[in-house]
Amino acid sequence: MEITHTQYKHCDLVKVKGRIDSYTAPQLAETFNKITDDGRFKIALEMSELDFMSSAGLRALINTQKVCKRYNRGELVLVAIPGNIHAALDLAGFIPLFKIFDDVLSAVGNF
Amino acid sequence: MVTRSFPGRYDSLAQIGEFIRGITDKAGLNNFAAYTVEMAVDEACSNIIEHAYGAEDQGPITCTCKVNTKGLTIILEDRGRPFDPELVSEPDVTGELEDRPSHGLGLFFIRQWMDEVEFEFESGNGNRLTLYKKRTTASTKSTRQK
């Protein structure tokens, strides 16, 4: 798994590539935690080059969304979700909990 | 029939995934069906390390795969504590954000995405989980696009 974090004025962009499983999910959670510990709660997660995400990854998403949405201070949005991962998010009932964008530009523009 | 053993560690998961992808390719499952099998196996192996063994490096995970004309059977064996799936409640997948559990989704995926799931525990031998994926289901369930 490879994570790239870019801080913009109004939001943070996290791009994740490869495989999120129980071994790598803690790194993703740590990236999110660093951002929210910094008092920043508007995050876009770019997933176009993500091959695999287990429930450990879903856990990082739901925990971060809970922190971000508290006091209406922001939210985590998902960008360019691959088909198989979209099916997993759908089965877990996550689709109504996240705004989903096709590309980074519209995700960043949402904030 | 192919059998391989992996150390019961989280950094084995990527190797296990690669092994399973080789098998699903051989079994002729489509892309989405292959993904569901890879995910079910990944969730099961994470559960073995976390719950049956209770930690990393406590024992191996043995993975046996059988392909036949109807589908693919994967048997996962460990030497850990008995796992009782009845004790894991179904996660809430429809409620408000704050009510959503962060645990229990792994078993849910296994049950939803595999055609047959059987848990067995033999004293002295550990747990045996048998997962079966039909090839026909595979072709009717296509990858969903956003």
Side-chain angles (χ1 to χ4, degrees), chain B residues 7 24-25 28 34 39 41 59 66 81 86 110 115 120 122 125 133:
Chain B
T24 52
D25 273 359
M39 186 150 171
V41 170
K66 295 176 205 170
R81 289 192 296 262
E86 300 300 318
I110 295 170
D115 293 300
E120 294 164 276
E122 255 181 67
N125 271 329
K133 183 78 177 174

Side-chain angles (χ1 to χ4, degrees), chain B residues 108-127:
Chain B
F108 177 73
F109 276 105
I110 295 170
R111 285 187 162 137
Q112 293 287 318
W113 269 350
M114 295 299 102
D115 293 300
E116 281 170 37
V117 179
E118 190 188 6
F119 292 90
E120 294 164 276
F121 178 79
E122 255 181 67
S123 187
N125 271 329
N127 297 288

Side-chain angles (χ1 to χ4, degrees), chain A residues 81-96:
Chain A
I81 308 173
N84 289 335
I85 296 172
H86 190 277
L89 291 168
D90 192 14
L91 183 59
F94 276 29
I95 300 300

Side-chain angles (χ1 to χ4, degrees), chain B residues 78-112:
Chain B
D78 64 64
R79 303 197 153 271
R81 289 192 296 262
F83 172 71
D84 184 356
E86 300 300 318
L87 299 177
V88 181
S89 52
E90 279 244 324
D92 173 6
V93 295
T94 56
E96 296 293 314
L97 176 67
E98 285 304 321
D99 301 327
R100 295 301 186 91
S102 57
H103 284 265
L105 280 171
L107 192 56
F108 177 73
F109 276 105
I110 295 170
R111 285 187 162 137
Q112 293 287 318

Side-chain angles (χ1 to χ4, degrees), chain B residues 26-44:
Chain B
K26 232 178 266 171
L29 296 190
N30 71 26
N31 178 285
F32 179 63
Y35 189 84
T36 64
V37 173
E38 184 183 353
M39 186 150 171
V41 170
D42 185 278
E43 299 295 347

